[in-house]
Amino acid sequence: MRRRALLSSTAALSLASLSGCLGDAREVASGDIHGEHGYANLHPADEQYFHGSFQDDSNFRGWLFPDPPADQADVFTDRALQGEFSNDLLWADGNSFVLLFEVRMPRDEAAFYNTVGFVEWTGWDDCEIPIRRSGTTYEGDPDASELVCTAIHKFTVERDGEPTGATLAVRDRETDEPVGTYYVEAWANQRAEPSA
């Protein structure tokens, strides 16, 4: 039994070191990932900006866009296309990619979620993106008991090779305590359920 546990832990360490090596190799090949710009919008949950819905067991959903979708109407609702999100997925051009995600919450836990800090490669196709949760007071629709923070951010890779998956490591702005970890995958150019 001890031998099996030792072999298992050795395999886990080898995999972890390989993952680190792949991240290092990808950084050498593609260069650093830089956050360019983005914003978040806190709104009532019934003002939907993405097609589809949250999974029953999750208050998070999101995608990466290494390339613009074939049609932004496959991603965004009419409400979003008529407002501030109308051309944002076109940012995913050249050596750039876009992170788009939503977090659902009760009104009394209102918060903005934004990218912050250094993005690093964690594998050949994966990276880790730090996210900051900033508590706030919502003073919009007085009847909204459930809110959603919709966030969109653009990143640039120095050379070529945008990630197709990312771990979002969320920390609280005030305490710097971990709040949650989510994984997003690349959008598949079709109207689909969220990947998280």
Side-chain angles (χ1 to χ4, degrees):
M1 184 69 174
R2 291 177 64 192
R3 182 171 180 256
R4 185 178 299 144
L6 179 61
L7 290 172
S8 175
S9 64
T10 302
L13 285 172
S14 297
L15 184 59
S17 64
L18 177 60
S19 176
C21 290
L22 286 175
D24 292 345
R26 178 56 117 168
E27 186 174 348
V28 169
S30 298
D32 291 333
I33 299 172
H34 302 282
E36 293 290 322
H37 51 79
Y39 56 90
N41 186 5
L42 189 61
H43 56 90
D46 61 0
E47 292 181 7
Q48 191 171 0
Y49 290 159
F50 288 3
H51 289 296
S53 60
F54 288 90
Q55 295 179 356
D56 290 340
D57 60 348
S58 179
N59 287 322
F60 175 90
R61 64 186 188 137
W63 301 271
L64 288 182
F65 291 84
D67 298 296
D71 185 348
Q72 292 200 83
D74 286 340
V75 182
F76 291 130
T77 62
D78 288 343
R79 175 191 301 273
L81 289 173
Q82 293 167 10
E84 59 188 327
F85 293 101
S86 60
N87 291 309
D88 294 353
L89 294 181
L90 302 181
W91 294 342
D93 189 28
N95 293 346
S96 299
F97 66 95
V98 171
L99 167 65
L100 179 61
F101 68 91
E102 288 189 319
V103 182
R104 180 175 57 183
M105 69 206 80
R107 184 189 188 109
D108 61 356
E109 296 177 13
F112 285 99
Y113 290 76
N114 286 292
T115 60
V116 61
F118 180 71
V119 179
E120 64 180 23
W121 290 102
T122 55
W124 190 253
D125 291 322
D126 294 297
C127 66
E128 182 174 295
I129 302 174
I131 305 292
R132 180 177 60 203
R133 176 193 181 278
S134 303
T136 189
T137 302
Y138 181 72
E139 297 179 354
D141 183 350
D143 297 325
S145 60
E146 190 173 65
L147 305 175
V148 169
C149 178
T150 299
I152 186 165
H153 296 270
K154 177 189 176 183
F155 298 87
T156 299
V157 182
E158 283 183 345
R159 291 181 282 281
D160 195 16
E162 295 76 27
T164 58
T167 299
L168 308 186
V170 185
R171 301 183 84 87
D172 185 79
R173 178 182 180 178
E174 297 298 325
T175 65
D176 202 38
E177 293 294 317
V179 175
T181 302
Y182 305 99
Y183 187 77
V184 295
E185 296 176 337
W187 175 264
N189 269 331
Q190 59 188 354
R191 193 173 292 191
E193 290 304 308
S195 60

XYZ file of all heavy atoms in Angstrom, residues 144-187:
343
model
N -34.874 44.182 -7.906
C -33.940 43.108 -8.283
C -33.361 42.455 -7.029
O -32.602 43.072 -6.290
C -32.823 43.661 -9.157
N -33.714 41.188 -6.803
C -33.175 40.473 -5.641
C -31.939 39.664 -6.008
O -31.164 39.283 -5.142
C -34.240 39.540 -5.062
O -34.648 38.594 -6.034
N -31.761 39.427 -7.306
C -30.603 38.661 -7.785
C -29.889 39.479 -8.855
O -30.527 40.049 -9.740
C -31.065 37.322 -8.360
C -29.946 36.370 -8.670
C -30.463 34.998 -9.078
O -31.112 34.893 -10.138
O -30.208 34.038 -8.327
N -28.565 39.541 -8.750
C -27.767 40.352 -9.662
C -26.789 39.474 -10.433
O -26.473 38.362 -10.013
C -26.977 41.410 -8.886
C -27.762 42.339 -7.981
C -26.810 43.229 -7.191
C -28.749 43.174 -8.784
N -26.287 40.022 -11.540
C -25.228 39.376 -12.319
C -24.174 40.424 -12.639
O -24.500 41.546 -13.044
C -25.783 38.761 -13.624
C -24.651 38.325 -14.548
C -26.686 37.572 -13.318
N -22.914 40.064 -12.449
C -21.810 40.899 -12.912
C -21.325 40.305 -14.224
O -20.866 39.156 -14.265
C -20.675 40.923 -11.897
S -19.250 41.892 -12.457
N -21.464 41.052 -15.303
C -20.982 40.637 -16.615
C -19.671 41.370 -16.881
O -19.619 42.593 -16.794
C -22.007 40.978 -17.715
O -23.228 40.285 -17.444
C -21.494 40.569 -19.083
N -18.619 40.620 -17.162
C -17.291 41.220 -17.348
C -16.692 40.776 -18.678
O -16.875 39.634 -19.106
C -16.363 40.813 -16.208
N -15.980 41.693 -19.315
C -15.301 41.395 -20.570
C -13.930 42.069 -20.547
O -13.813 43.232 -20.150
C -16.141 41.842 -21.789
C -15.491 41.395 -23.089
C -16.410 43.343 -21.771
C -16.416 41.466 -24.290
N -12.891 41.309 -20.907
C -11.525 41.819 -20.848
C -10.732 41.336 -22.055
O -10.852 40.183 -22.463
C -10.825 41.347 -19.564
C -11.459 41.887 -18.327
N -11.073 43.071 -17.751
C -12.464 41.412 -17.553
C -11.822 43.298 -16.676
N -12.660 42.310 -16.552
N -9.892 42.213 -22.566
C -9.009 41.873 -23.682
C -7.585 41.662 -23.186
O -7.101 42.407 -22.331
C -8.998 42.986 -24.727
C -8.040 42.700 -25.879
C -7.869 43.884 -26.807
C -6.836 43.593 -27.885
N -6.598 44.748 -28.755
N -6.915 40.642 -23.741
C -5.521 40.344 -23.436
C -4.736 40.221 -24.737
O -5.271 39.795 -25.755
C -5.406 39.023 -22.673
C -6.107 39.034 -21.347
C -7.454 38.709 -21.261
C -5.434 39.392 -20.194
C -8.111 38.727 -20.050
C -6.085 39.418 -18.975
C -7.435 39.087 -18.903
N -3.469 40.578 -24.674
C -2.582 40.446 -25.822
C -1.432 39.521 -25.466
O -0.860 39.619 -24.382
C -2.029 41.822 -26.250
O -3.120 42.665 -26.618
C -1.092 41.690 -27.443
N -1.121 38.611 -26.392
C 0.030 37.728 -26.244
C 1.154 38.324 -27.080
O 0.930 38.735 -28.222
C -0.310 36.297 -26.726
C 0.874 35.368 -26.529
C -1.527 35.771 -25.986
N 2.358 38.401 -26.530
C 3.452 39.114 -27.193
C 3.703 38.628 -28.621
O 3.936 39.414 -29.514
C 4.741 38.994 -26.376
C 4.760 39.901 -25.168
C 6.072 39.832 -24.413
O 6.856 38.889 -24.647
O 6.313 40.726 -23.581
N 3.680 37.319 -28.797
C 3.895 36.790 -30.142
C 2.638 36.070 -30.604
O 1.634 36.700 -30.885
C 5.144 35.921 -30.168
C 6.425 36.764 -29.968
C 7.679 35.939 -30.022
N 7.946 35.206 -28.801
C 8.464 35.739 -27.707
N 8.746 37.027 -27.651
N 8.694 35.001 -26.632
N 2.652 34.772 -30.680
C 1.496 34.063 -31.226
C 1.125 32.918 -30.303
O 1.941 32.449 -29.520
C 1.838 33.525 -32.621
C 0.608 33.115 -33.390
O -0.499 33.513 -32.986
O 0.745 32.399 -34.392
N -0.095 32.439 -30.411
C -0.526 31.280 -29.649
C -1.370 31.637 -28.451
O -0.927 31.568 -27.315
N -2.616 32.040 -28.691
C -3.505 32.415 -27.605
C -3.966 31.162 -26.858
O -4.124 30.099 -27.456
C -4.729 33.163 -28.160
C -4.397 34.495 -28.801
C -3.762 34.347 -30.177
O -4.021 33.327 -30.845
O -2.985 35.231 -30.554
N -4.205 31.264 -25.561
C -4.681 30.106 -24.797
C -6.089 29.711 -25.216
O -6.870 30.553 -25.672
C -4.659 30.598 -23.349
C -4.760 32.081 -23.444
C -4.063 32.463 -24.721
N -6.404 28.436 -25.052
C -7.760 27.951 -25.320
C -8.468 27.549 -24.031
O -9.608 27.095 -24.067
C -7.735 26.761 -26.293
O -6.921 25.728 -25.737
C -7.175 27.186 -27.643
N -7.790 27.708 -22.912
C -8.387 27.446 -21.611
C -7.723 28.317 -20.570
O -6.552 28.676 -20.710
N -8.475 28.676 -19.531
C -7.904 29.518 -18.476
C -8.555 29.212 -17.141
O -9.764 28.995 -17.057
C -8.078 30.997 -18.800
N -7.733 29.194 -16.100
C -8.217 29.117 -14.729
C -8.345 30.538 -14.211
O -7.398 31.322 -14.299
C -7.231 28.322 -13.850
O -7.132 26.994 -14.362
C -7.704 28.283 -12.409
N -9.512 30.882 -13.700
C -9.727 32.197 -13.107
C -9.624 32.042 -11.598
O -10.427 31.346 -10.971
C -11.105 32.750 -13.486
C -11.447 32.775 -14.979
C -12.781 33.487 -15.190
C -10.352 33.435 -15.790
N -8.605 32.651 -11.017
C -8.366 32.574 -9.578
C -8.904 33.843 -8.936
O -8.318 34.921 -9.081
C -6.881 32.402 -9.296
N -10.033 33.733 -8.235
C -10.730 34.894 -7.689
C -10.325 35.125 -6.238
O -10.354 34.211 -5.420
C -12.258 34.701 -7.771
C -12.984 35.962 -7.312
C -12.681 34.324 -9.189
N -9.950 36.388 -5.934
C -9.597 36.774 -4.564
C -10.403 38.019 -4.182
O -10.752 38.826 -5.046
C -8.099 37.063 -4.451
C -7.224 35.885 -4.830
C -5.750 36.196 -4.644
N -5.325 35.986 -3.290
C -4.902 34.816 -2.807
N -4.864 33.759 -3.583
N -4.525 34.706 -1.555
N -10.661 38.156 -2.906
C -11.385 39.318 -2.409
C -10.468 40.540 -2.367
O -9.313 40.440 -1.935
C -11.928 39.035 -1.006
C -12.797 40.160 -0.503
O -13.961 40.233 -0.899
O -12.276 40.999 0.283
N -10.971 41.676 -2.799
C -10.146 42.898 -2.851
C -9.695 43.348 -1.470
O -8.549 43.750 -1.276
C -10.944 44.014 -3.523
C -10.195 45.319 -3.571
C -11.008 46.412 -4.191
N -10.255 47.659 -4.223
C -10.706 48.774 -4.755
N -11.902 48.809 -5.312
N -9.974 49.845 -4.757
N -10.590 43.273 -0.480
C -10.277 43.788 0.845
C -9.361 42.862 1.632
O -8.406 43.306 2.272
C -11.574 44.019 1.636
C -12.491 45.061 1.018
C -11.865 46.443 0.952
O -11.107 46.801 1.880
O -12.105 47.159 -0.041
N -9.653 41.561 1.605
C -8.928 40.611 2.459
C -7.839 39.841 1.718
O -6.989 39.216 2.350
C -9.904 39.585 3.051
O -10.455 38.789 1.986
C -11.024 40.279 3.814
N -7.894 39.839 0.390
C -6.998 39.061 -0.466
C -7.170 37.548 -0.254
O -6.340 36.760 -0.672
C -5.529 39.453 -0.251
C -4.665 39.069 -1.449
O -5.151 39.207 -2.594
O -3.527 38.607 -1.244
N -8.264 37.151 0.382
C -8.561 35.733 0.576
C -9.100 35.127 -0.718
O -9.827 35.785 -1.466
C -9.608 35.544 1.683
C -9.132 35.919 3.073
C -8.037 34.995 3.568
O -8.156 33.777 3.368
O -7.054 35.508 4.146
N -8.770 33.859 -1.011
C -9.343 33.191 -2.182
C -10.860 33.086 -2.047
O -11.371 32.762 -0.973
C -8.700 31.804 -2.163
C -7.489 31.936 -1.306
C -7.809 33.006 -0.301
N -11.568 33.387 -3.123
C -13.027 33.335 -3.144
C -13.512 32.139 -3.954
O -14.521 31.529 -3.638
C -13.612 34.644 -3.720
C -15.113 34.554 -3.873
C -13.226 35.829 -2.849
N -12.797 31.796 -5.008
C -13.192 30.676 -5.850
C -12.242 30.523 -7.021
O -11.440 31.418 -7.314
N -12.332 29.380 -7.674
C -11.538 29.090 -8.862
C -12.471 28.534 -9.924
O -13.272 27.632 -9.635
C -10.433 28.058 -8.549
O -9.613 28.568 -7.504
C -9.568 27.806 -9.771
N -12.385 29.067 -11.130
C -13.253 28.641 -12.223
C -12.398 28.370 -13.459
O -11.358 29.003 -13.640
C -14.289 29.721 -12.545
C -15.099 30.137 -11.341
C -14.781 31.295 -10.639
C -16.161 29.361 -10.903
C -15.513 31.672 -9.525
C -16.896 29.729 -9.786
C -16.579 30.886 -9.105
O -17.291 31.264 -8.004
N -12.867 27.472 -14.294
C -12.150 27.158 -15.529
C -13.032 27.508 -16.719
O -14.215 27.171 -16.747
C -11.773 25.672 -15.570
C -10.892 25.330 -16.753
C -9.540 25.664 -16.733
C -11.409 24.729 -17.885
C -8.722 25.383 -17.814
C -10.602 24.443 -18.978
C -9.259 24.768 -18.939
O -8.458 24.510 -20.015
N -12.468 28.216 -17.688
C -13.186 28.563 -18.911
C -12.447 27.994 -20.113
O -11.230 27.839 -20.094
C -13.357 30.095 -19.074
C -14.241 30.659 -17.977
C -12.020 30.808 -19.081
N -13.214 27.682 -21.156
C -12.654 27.142 -22.389
C -12.991 28.056 -23.550
O -13.803 28.974 -23.425
C -13.209 25.736 -22.638
C -12.798 24.735 -21.575
C -13.432 23.376 -21.786
O -14.491 23.301 -22.452
O -12.863 22.394 -21.286
N -12.414 27.781 -24.675
C -12.649 28.597 -25.867
C -14.065 28.391 -26.390
O -14.589 27.282 -26.390
C -11.636 28.240 -26.955
N -14.652 29.488 -26.835
C -15.960 29.446 -27.493
C -15.825 28.668 -28.792
O -14.844 28.803 -29.520
C -16.417 30.876 -27.773
C -17.690 30.976 -28.538
C -17.824 31.145 -29.880
C -19.011 30.938 -28.000
N -19.151 31.212 -30.204
C -19.906 31.086 -29.066
C -19.514 30.794 -26.705
C -21.289 31.094 -28.895
C -20.887 30.798 -26.533
C -21.751 30.954 -27.624
